[in-house]
Amino acid sequence: MAPPGIAFERSRSGLKGTYPSGMAARGKSGQRIEPSFGGVDSDDDDLRVEASDRVSGSARRPARGKSESGKRKARGKRGSQRGSGSGGGFFGLVRRLAYWCIVLGIWGAIGIGGLVLYYGARMPSATSWSIPDRPPNVKILSVSGDIIANRGATGGEALSLENMSPYIPQAVIAIEDRRFYSHFGVDPLGLARAMLTNLTTGRMVQGGSTLTQQLAKNLFLSPERTLERKVQEVLLALWLEQKYSKDQILAMYLNRVFFGSNAYGVEAASRRYFNKSARDVNLGEAAVLAGLLKAPSRLSPARDPDAAEERAQVVLGAMREEGFVTDAEIKTAMSQTPTKAKSFWSGAEHYVADMVMDQLPGMIGEINQDLVIDTTIDLTLEKKAEEAISATLDAEGGKLNASQAALVSIDGTGAIRALVGGRDYAESQFDRASKAKRQPGSAFKPFVYAAALEIGRTPMSVRNDAPVRIGNWTPENYDQKYRGEVTLADALANSLNTIAAALVMEVGPQNVVKLAHRLGIDSEMQANASIALGTSEVSLVELTSSYAPFMNGGFKATPHVIRRISTADGTVLYENTYDNPPRVLDPAIVSEMNQMMVRVLTDGTGKKARIKGWEAAGKTGTTQSFRDALFVGFTSNLTTGVWFGNDDGKSMKKVTGGGLPAKAWHDFMTAAHEGLSPSPLFGTTGVQPMFDNGGAVAGPGTLPDGFATANPDAFPEPPASVDGTAAIEQVRPASGESAGPIPPAGVGETTGATRRTTLFELLTGG
């Protein structure tokens, strides 16, 4: 400290002193100027020297050493004070960083709280929140109770966790939300991990949303990605966690999430990709399902099986890390053949499901709850029918230019036991059995002969097969030959056009049409002479059901596929057993017709349809230029109709009703009757043939009075053809038409369009 009376001020060259009068100062020459103090002892001399040294910057050597040591200590002390006081050094940097982190954290919390309050205030009151009802599902069952299909917006019923394969929830948790059972609806650790990964890679690699958040988004929010939606998603997730258990949340998620290919929920996805219930999927299949959640459309096995399998391997690895499965189970799952699914639902039973869905609104009105539909379909017969059609087309369809076929089989009550609407449902969902209307050709002739029997003709009535003229129309036989005197039984067996046309004129076209309507033909028909050769269009279902009265003894067999409609709790909304059908044919007429149609298979055009050990009857049909070929026949057990042709109406290569249709009919009916005891057709045993008019033969080319000179316009001449039928416009699927059900876009579905990833999405994990 400076002596009293000395004041210092800082200058560029150092410290400059201002001295009071009487004190010594050093001159320019460096000589010391001694002041006169009086009464100062030796200690005072030392003090004086030190003070002088500090002022002048020079000192004696002993005193200098002491002064430098003291100054170093002073500088060290001052440096220490600066380090602690001004925040310098590493620890100071850490303290400053911690301080600002706390400040920013507080302001961030205030900002987030404000956003939550703001966007939360825009939402309805939490007391009004409720889980929206799952879209109603229609479960369609076979006659034995097996599931044919699930239809509705979701395409599958809801299953509890206990009822689905345990691998499914394990796989989903392992790959989507490993801390699902420990977080409170939002996973800060998972969000932080996703943020770091996404920022590091610069793109969306991981999602930070929990399963609860995903469920909240799917249930309540739009798919747009905004800050407001994210805040609302978090609030809803917290609400879900408070209101429902973890198992309930997981079950709701698995039953509603989109799995690609129009499948919503694990049951729909399992049946779509594996053709089995979610109850029965194995480890590898569960991994495929869980893998789809990342990108349902892109990773669908129906679109890219390799990508789906690659993603499944990642899921299996995650399951192993979580301890859900062992290495041995992983090895077994990885050795399984990768799943390959068709681009659409496959299996002929889906034609049946479409028919059911078409009929439901007319029976119960709007579908607003889960329904269970009991049908008449026998799934075993359905599979056999599909196999028969596919095998015939695969073997001969290509070389004979036949690309499509249909089959329907019904019992004596009209219950449809099997229906195949086309070659492959996955490729075309148009139902050619029930929706397509085409000319039946000679397959319509049994109605003509039955009408003739009703006015007194018999199977043994004789007519002359010779050229006949009806107005301006002169029908010809398919081989352009004439056989002279023939019985009606022979004429039907050999499908003679001249005799059928003559019978129409004897009976009257309007009476033939009335009988056909009475037996089950619903389509409008033209009452003219050419009706004998099947020129009016009908569907295969109505044509086949109209043959059933010949099988069951003369009762109408109204075709139906729905037996009962019930709610999920068992309440019956509709039921019809069709157990009191009206009689439409006299048993004697049935007996005579059956005897005649048996000969079609034994001696006539339908020989390829014969079934070993079983008595069967039926009729072939072929339309103009081989555009359509049919065979409709029956045993005492089933009536079955088969059609072959092309959707575009192109001609086949000389395919007749006795060719491919008769072969497919034989294959199906043989398989359908395996293990059953043969029984004869109604009225074919113990019945003696009868003659009308003493067996008189009508004159060559003659018809009842008036018909030969009738108005030509009443009997238009059909173009020449195999069966003499006319080529008129037929109902066929439009080019590219897909009549199958396409569930509307719903939760989780993507459009597949490329979209840029934003910084907000990187931070929030989507």
Side-chain angles (χ1 to χ4, degrees):
M1 184 174 180
I6 300 177
F8 294 93
E9 62 177 322
R10 188 172 300 276
S11 69
R12 289 184 179 180
S13 60
L15 295 177
K16 181 174 68 176
T18 302
Y19 299 89
S21 60
M23 292 190 67
R26 189 176 298 277
K28 290 182 179 181
S29 63
Q31 294 179 352
R32 184 171 177 269
I33 302 174
E34 294 283 351
S36 176
F37 285 99
V40 179
D41 59 15
S42 59
D43 290 333
D44 292 331
D45 290 339
D46 291 338
L47 178 61
R48 184 173 60 251
V49 171
E50 290 180 5
S52 175
D53 285 342
R54 283 194 298 273
V55 173
S56 64
S58 63
R60 298 181 183 88
R61 188 176 300 275
R64 182 175 181 176
K66 179 179 179 182
S67 175
E68 288 179 355
S69 175
K71 285 188 286 184
R72 281 195 300 271
K73 291 180 181 180
R75 284 196 300 269
K77 184 176 181 181
R78 287 194 298 270
S80 175
Q81 291 173 348
R82 283 195 303 269
S84 60
S86 63
F90 173 74
F91 294 105
L93 178 64
V94 172
R95 283 192 292 271
R96 287 196 299 272
L97 183 61
Y99 168 78
W100 285 110
C101 284
I102 293 173
V103 171
L104 292 176
I106 293 173
W107 281 108
I110 293 173
I112 292 175
L115 286 174
V116 170
L117 290 175
Y118 174 72
Y119 289 126
R122 293 164 59 93
M123 299 174 66
S125 172
T127 57
S128 65
W129 295 356
S130 62
I131 299 296
D133 292 334
R134 190 172 184 266
N137 178 68
V138 179
K139 182 163 64 175
I140 304 171
L141 306 178
S142 71
V143 70
S144 61
D146 297 320
I147 294 179
I148 293 176
N150 285 284
R151 287 295 164 86
T154 57
E157 62 180 315
L159 298 180
S160 64
L161 290 183
E162 295 77 13
N163 287 332
M164 67 180 68
S165 168
Y167 293 124
I168 294 177
Q170 291 174 355
V172 171
I173 289 174
I175 198 64
E176 290 291 318
D177 191 355
R178 299 187 180 190
R179 282 177 289 277
F180 173 72
Y181 280 101
S182 60
H183 63 62
F184 52 89
V186 179
D187 184 6
L189 294 178
L191 180 60
R193 181 200 69 241
M195 290 171 55
L196 180 61
T197 303
N198 295 336
L199 287 174
T200 302
T201 60
R203 59 188 180 90
M204 280 289 298
V205 177
Q206 292 184 0
S209 297
T210 65
L211 291 180
T212 312
Q213 287 177 263
Q214 294 180 44
L215 177 62
K217 176 177 65 178
N218 291 343
L219 289 177
F220 302 105
L221 303 174
S222 65
E224 62 178 347
R225 303 190 178 196
T226 63
L227 181 60
E228 178 179 6
R229 189 212 55 115
K230 198 67 179 179
V231 172
Q232 292 174 346
E233 174 187 302
V234 170
L235 293 176
L236 289 166
L238 298 176
W239 174 77
L240 285 171
E241 291 278 346
Q242 292 295 319
K243 191 172 181 64
Y244 299 96
S245 68
K246 288 286 188 179
D247 285 350
Q248 288 175 317
I249 292 173
L250 183 58
M252 282 190 286
Y253 176 82
L254 293 174
N255 282 308
R256 295 173 185 250
V257 70
F258 179 59
F259 283 94
S261 298
N262 295 312
Y264 295 81
V266 291
E267 178 68 6
S270 179
R271 292 192 177 277
R272 171 68 181 83
Y273 298 125
F274 316 125
N275 199 26
K276 63 170 67 173
S277 171
R279 300 172 176 86
D280 306 318
V281 301
N282 57 37
L283 174 58
E285 293 164 342
V288 170
L289 292 179
L292 291 173
L293 298 176
K294 179 180 180 181
S297 297
R298 179 172 58 85
L299 297 176
S300 168
R303 177 179 180 179
D304 192 341
D306 293 335
E309 182 64 21
E310 182 179 350
R311 178 62 177 170
Q313 303 293 334
V314 176
V315 175
L316 290 172
M319 294 179 71
R320 178 171 51 193
E321 291 178 5
E322 293 302 303
F324 290 137
V325 293
T326 63
D327 289 339
E329 290 176 309
I330 293 289
K331 184 177 180 181
T332 300
M334 289 184 173
S335 65
Q336 296 170 352
T337 303
T339 300
K340 293 183 179 180
K342 293 189 176 182
S343 59
F344 204 76
W345 290 310
S346 60
E349 65 272 14
H350 290 289
Y351 290 112
V352 175
D354 290 350
M355 178 184 288
V356 169
M357 295 304 294
D358 288 342
Q359 295 178 5
L360 271 182
M363 294 180 172
I364 62 170
E366 182 182 0
I367 302 172
N368 51 23
Q369 60 181 320
D370 286 356
L371 298 176
V372 178
I373 312 299
D374 293 296
T375 72
T376 60
I377 295 296
D378 185 326
L379 273 183
T380 300
L381 294 181
E382 182 73 10
K383 295 300 182 184
K384 291 177 178 178
E386 184 176 20
E387 291 169 2
I389 292 297
S390 297
T392 304
L393 283 172
D394 291 343
E396 302 183 69
K399 64 182 180 181
L400 296 178
N401 195 33
S403 62
Q404 281 293 353
L407 180 151
V408 60
S409 185
I410 68 176
D411 66 13
T413 68
I416 299 175
R417 297 302 184 187
L419 183 142
V420 179
R423 181 172 193 161
D424 188 346
Y425 184 85
E427 295 179 358
S428 171
Q429 294 81 55
F430 182 79
D431 182 2
R432 297 155 185 84
S434 65
K435 293 183 178 179
K437 289 189 176 183
R438 297 186 174 92
Q439 300 167 345
S442 291
F444 189 81
K445 288 177 180 176
F447 306 115
V448 176
Y449 282 80
L453 296 182
E454 285 191 333
I455 64 170
R457 310 301 183 259
T458 73
M460 301 306 293
S461 295
V462 179
R463 293 293 182 270
N464 190 24
D465 178 21
V468 62
R469 182 173 61 86
I470 305 175
N472 292 330
W473 177 40
T474 303
E476 296 180 341
N477 294 323
Y478 70 95
D479 57 2
Q480 296 183 338
K481 296 179 180 180
Y482 300 97
R483 293 161 180 78
E485 296 180 3
V486 295
T487 64
L488 295 188
D490 289 334
L492 181 61
N494 292 283
S495 197
L496 301 181
N497 295 332
T498 56
I499 304 301
L503 287 177
V504 167
M505 295 299 96
E506 291 183 37
V507 174
Q510 69 281 0
N511 291 326
V512 174
V513 170
K514 287 180 181 179
L515 182 138
H517 283 316
R518 193 168 78 230
L519 267 60
I521 298 291
D522 293 326
S523 297
E524 182 180 353
M525 292 179 285
Q526 296 178 347
N528 54 32
S530 64
I531 190 70
L533 308 184
T535 56
S536 291
E537 295 175 325
V538 296
S539 72
L540 184 62
V541 168
E542 60 183 329
L543 179 65
T544 304
S545 64
S546 297
Y547 270 63
F550 300 125
M551 173 186 72
N552 64 26
F555 296 95
K556 186 173 183 178
T558 303
H560 60 281
V561 70
I562 296 176
R563 291 192 304 115
R564 184 185 303 110
I565 303 174
S566 308
T567 62
D569 60 7
T571 303
V572 177
L573 304 179
Y574 168 89
E575 185 170 16
N576 196 331
T577 59
Y578 291 90
D579 53 0
N580 292 307
R583 176 172 289 281
V584 292
L585 277 179
D586 186 276
I589 302 298
V590 174
S591 175
E592 292 173 337
M593 284 299 304
N594 286 351
Q595 293 181 73
M596 296 170 70
M597 285 191 283
V598 165
R599 291 192 55 195
V600 174
L601 276 71
T602 59
D603 307 318
T605 57
K607 293 179 180 179
K608 292 181 179 179
R610 287 180 293 187
I611 306 174
K612 185 178 181 180
W614 282 83
E615 187 175 43
K619 186 67 185 73
T620 58
T622 311
T623 64
Q624 182 195 22
S625 303
F626 305 100
R627 296 175 68 186
D628 302 283
L630 304 95
F631 184 84
V632 184
F634 52 92
T635 64
S636 58
N637 183 45
L638 291 172
T639 299
T640 300
V642 179
W643 165 85
F644 275 75
N646 296 298
D647 287 337
D648 57 8
K650 289 183 178 179
S651 298
M652 296 177 286
K653 295 181 179 179
K654 295 185 178 181
V655 176
T656 65
L660 295 184
K663 290 180 181 179
W665 189 93
H666 164 271
D667 293 345
F668 166 71
M669 294 291 274
T670 298
H673 287 76
E674 288 180 357
L676 301 179
S677 299
S679 58
L681 290 173
F682 178 88
T684 57
T685 58
V687 179
Q688 297 297 321
M690 297 178 59
F691 293 83
D692 64 313
N693 298 328
V697 180
T702 61
L703 289 171
D705 293 339
F707 282 103
T709 60
N711 182 2
D713 295 335
F715 312 109
E717 179 180 357
S721 66
V722 172
D723 283 337
T725 59
I728 55 180
E729 197 64 28
Q730 300 176 350
V731 179
R732 304 179 187 276
S735 177
E737 177 179 352
S738 176
I742 305 297
V747 294
E749 184 171 7
T750 59
T751 62
T754 301
R755 186 177 55 80
R756 299 175 65 89
T757 301
T758 65
L759 178 61
F760 171 71
E761 292 165 0
L762 292 176
L763 294 175
T764 62

